[in-house]
């Protein structure tokens, strides 16, 4: 959440326990609030369907469609979000905010161009009516756009509105679903159209805020192409991180233990349910990471580079670097210690509780392994972000690729070994990759002077390539169109 640090610093400047509690509450609500609201919406819609006497088979199909729409929209949009964050940061630094909206529309265009036909073809393989297909297609495309909007809004500190918008969308979805059910619409169609239209309301709310926050630009939807040619590895990094997060589920979806909702629609209850509950245990770690990174490490990071850019003495630069490293290592150590405590508590207490609400002994064992697996995944995630802070894009990509590969291979191995080992593959992937990330980060910081002073080009190099030329042609056409539309303004400028 690119903009939350500014708000957190203001909160934490206050004295007393109240400021600390308020700061952590703000971080928790902003960073994890949308996900919690999404879970609550799913539960509420399921209960609404149950209240109207909907058979279990239709409720299962509803959960299947919602899960697939969310996972694959996150997988596709997550591929571009790291790159988009970098592009917006560069626009803010270069005072070119007018490029953000064209980049947003261009990014959404290419995401829809890729995702919408793929989802449409997949839905044609399912034995459902066109009313269901259209609702799921709308939901998937809307979610694709919403995830990109959230990234753009967080960059301009509209993190509070992100949460309020999600609450408004969820409330609208519930009201519409109830109205459709009360009006006699088939239950599956009613719930899916309610969810789709609720998120469509959210999309329009976010769009209004984007138009208020960013100045109007031209119609050059390829404005981000030169940056894409400069940072293509960020797309691969984003995809591999998302694949590592969901890939172990996909392995079990392809196994003999899968549940077939449709001939081409599957999930694995015996693995997905423990994984879902284990995912919730890393929320404290993610909140603490945001607070530590944005309120403590960011200050030291800024002080170090300010001492370089604004004529600091060699002793000042070295001292600033040591302080920055000390804070970074302390934060990562604190994160891991805290999450290990949470994981142990979850294994000891939550695992027993889950057995009382329907999970059998094997599923509870999977949950316990995945608690530690997600703890180490959190370490990978929290270690990769500082690599990107220091512009080690290659290291971040290798970390994401290592984790994705080990997660898929380890999950396939444990699948063959039997249910008692499920979750151990994801755990091993997190352990190996977490160790590699910490080692890479330490080595990179040891050689930081070389990377800062010696890797930078002496002279600005003119970019060239297919993407740059395509953007240049469209920019020239955009300027010509603007000149024909407003000749006096263009001449005056």
């Amino acid at each position: 959440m690119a903009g939350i640090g500014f708000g957190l610093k203001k909160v934490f400047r206050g004295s007393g326990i109240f400021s600390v509690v308020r700061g952590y509450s703000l971080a928790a609500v902003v960073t994890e609030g949308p996900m919690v609201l999404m879970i609550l919406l799913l539960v509420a819609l399921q209960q609404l369907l149950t209240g109207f006497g909907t058979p279990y088979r239709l409720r299962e199909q509803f959960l299947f469609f919602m899960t697939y729409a969310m996972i694959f929209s996150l997988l596709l949009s997550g591929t571009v979000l790291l790159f988009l964050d970098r592009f917006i940061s560069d626009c803010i630094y270069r005072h070119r905010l007018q490029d953000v909206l064209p980049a947003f529309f261009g990014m959404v265009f290419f995401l829809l161009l890729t995702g919408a036909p793929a989802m449409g073809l997949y839905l044609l393989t399912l034995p459902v009516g066109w009313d269901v297909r259209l609702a799921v297609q709308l939901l998937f495309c809307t979610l694709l756009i919403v995830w990109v909007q959230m990234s753009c809004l967080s960059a301009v500190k509209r993190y509070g509105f992100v949460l309020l918008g999600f609450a408004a969308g969820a409330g609208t979805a519930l009201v519409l679903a109830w109205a459709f059910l009360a009006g006699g619409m088939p239950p599956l169609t009613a719930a899916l159209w309610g969810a789709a239209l609720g998120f469509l309301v959210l999309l329009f709310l976010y769009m209004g805020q984007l138009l208020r926050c960013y100045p109007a630009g031209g119609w050059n939807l390829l404005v981000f192409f030169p940056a894409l040619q400069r940072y293509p590895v960020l797309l691969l990094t984003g995809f591999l991180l998302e694949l590592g997060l969901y890939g172990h589920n996909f392995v079990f979806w392809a196994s003999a233990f899968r549940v077939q909702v449709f001939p081409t629609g599957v999930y694995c209850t015996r693995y997905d349910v423990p994984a879902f509950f284990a995912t919730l245990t890393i929320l404290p770690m993610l909140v603490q990471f945001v607070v530590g990174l944005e309120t403590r490490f960011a200050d030291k990071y800024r002080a170090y580079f300010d001492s370089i850019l604004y004529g600091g003495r060699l002793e000042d630069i070295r001292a600033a670097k040591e302080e920055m490293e000390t804070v970074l290592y302390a934060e990562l150590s604190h994160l891991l210690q805290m999450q290990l405590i949470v994981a142990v508590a979850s294994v000891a207490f939550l695992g027993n509780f889950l057995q009382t609400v329907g999970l059998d002994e094997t599923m509870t064992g999977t949950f316990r392994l995945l608690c530690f697996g997600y703890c180490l995944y959190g370490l990978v995630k929290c270690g990769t972000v500082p690599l990107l802070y220091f512009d080690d894009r290659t290291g971040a990509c290798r970390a994401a690729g290592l984790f994705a590969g080990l997660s898929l291979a380890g999950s396939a191995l444990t699948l063959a070994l039997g249910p008692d080992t499920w979750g151990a593959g994801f755990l091993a992937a997190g352990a190996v990759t977490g160790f590699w990330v910490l080692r890479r980060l330490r080595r990179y910081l040891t050689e930081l002077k070389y990377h800062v002073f010696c890797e930078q080009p002496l002279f600005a190099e003119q970019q060239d390539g297919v993407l740059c030329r395509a953007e240049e042609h469209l920019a020239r056409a955009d300027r010509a169109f603007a000149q024909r539309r407003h000749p006096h303004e263009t001449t005056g400028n």
Side-chain angles (χ1 to χ4, degrees), residues 14-255:
S15 59
I17 189 67
F18 177 75
S19 296
V20 175
V21 172
R22 186 163 173 257
Y24 277 100
S25 300
L26 173 64
V29 166
V30 171
T31 57
E32 308 309 327
M35 188 181 92
V36 173
L37 276 175
M38 181 76 78
I39 295 169
L40 293 177
L41 174 63
L42 282 176
V43 173
L45 287 172
Q46 285 277 61
Q47 292 299 316
L48 186 63
L49 289 173
T50 303
F52 276 84
T54 305
Y56 172 78
R57 183 66 176 172
L58 291 180
R59 286 186 277 122
E60 183 183 43
Q61 290 177 6
F62 167 72
L63 188 60
F64 161 80
F65 281 122
M66 290 290 291
T67 302
Y68 266 49
M70 285 187 287
I71 286 180
F72 288 104
S73 65
L74 282 168
L75 184 62
L76 184 56
S77 62
T79 301
V80 306
L81 289 185
L82 280 179
F83 165 76
L84 182 61
D85 288 342
R86 177 60 188 259
F87 178 81
I88 295 176
S89 297
D90 288 349
C91 288
I92 294 173
Y93 178 77
R94 296 166 55 202
H95 304 288
R96 291 191 58 84
L97 289 180
Q98 69 272 17
D99 290 342
V100 174
L101 279 180
F104 164 77
F105 288 118
M107 196 72 70
V108 165
F109 171 77
F110 286 106
L111 283 175
L112 293 177
L113 187 66
T114 305
M119 176 58 80
L121 290 174
Y122 173 69
L123 290 173
L124 289 176
T125 69
L126 303 180
V128 294
W130 279 101
D131 52 350
V132 172
R133 289 189 182 125
L134 291 175
V136 177
Q137 182 79 328
L138 177 62
L139 176 64
F140 172 77
C141 293
T142 301
L143 287 174
L144 267 182
I145 300 172
V146 165
W147 305 139
V148 181
Q149 287 177 323
M150 287 176 62
S151 181
C152 294
L153 286 175
S154 68
V156 288
K157 302 175 284 185
R158 300 297 291 171
Y159 36 83
F161 191 86
V162 168
L163 183 67
L164 292 175
F166 239 98
T172 303
L174 280 174
V175 171
L176 288 176
W178 175 85
F180 292 152
L181 286 167
M185 186 179 287
L188 180 60
T189 306
L192 287 173
W193 273 106
L197 293 176
F199 281 106
L200 190 62
V201 169
L202 175 63
L203 184 151
F204 285 119
L205 289 174
Y206 283 177
M207 197 66 244
Q209 285 298 307
L210 283 176
L211 294 175
R212 286 183 57 190
C213 294
Y214 292 103
W219 291 99
N220 183 4
L221 301 186
L222 308 184
V223 68
F224 61 90
F225 268 29
L228 184 60
Q229 186 160 310
R230 192 180 307 121
Y231 311 123
V233 71
L234 291 179
L235 294 183
L236 181 59
T237 304
F239 172 75
L240 291 173
L241 280 174
E242 297 298 322
L243 181 62
L245 180 59
Y246 298 113
H248 60 125
N249 296 91
F250 298 159
V251 170
F252 287 90
W253 290 4
S255 72

Side-chain angles (χ1 to χ4, degrees), residues 240-252 271 274-276 278-279 281-282 366-381 402-415 421-434:
L240 291 173
L241 280 174
E242 297 298 322
L243 181 62
L245 180 59
Y246 298 113
H248 60 125
N249 296 91
F250 298 159
V251 170
F252 287 90
Y271 190 83
F276 166 74
T279 303
T281 64
I282 65 167
T366 302
F367 165 77
R368 288 171 173 148
L369 284 172
L370 286 175
C371 281
F372 292 104
Y374 277 102
C375 170
L376 294 170
Y377 163 76
L379 177 63
V380 173
K381 183 86 171 179
L402 179 63
F403 180 71
L406 291 177
S407 177
L408 291 170
S411 297
L413 178 61
T414 57
L415 179 63
T421 64
W422 288 2
F426 189 74
L427 171 61
V432 173
T433 311

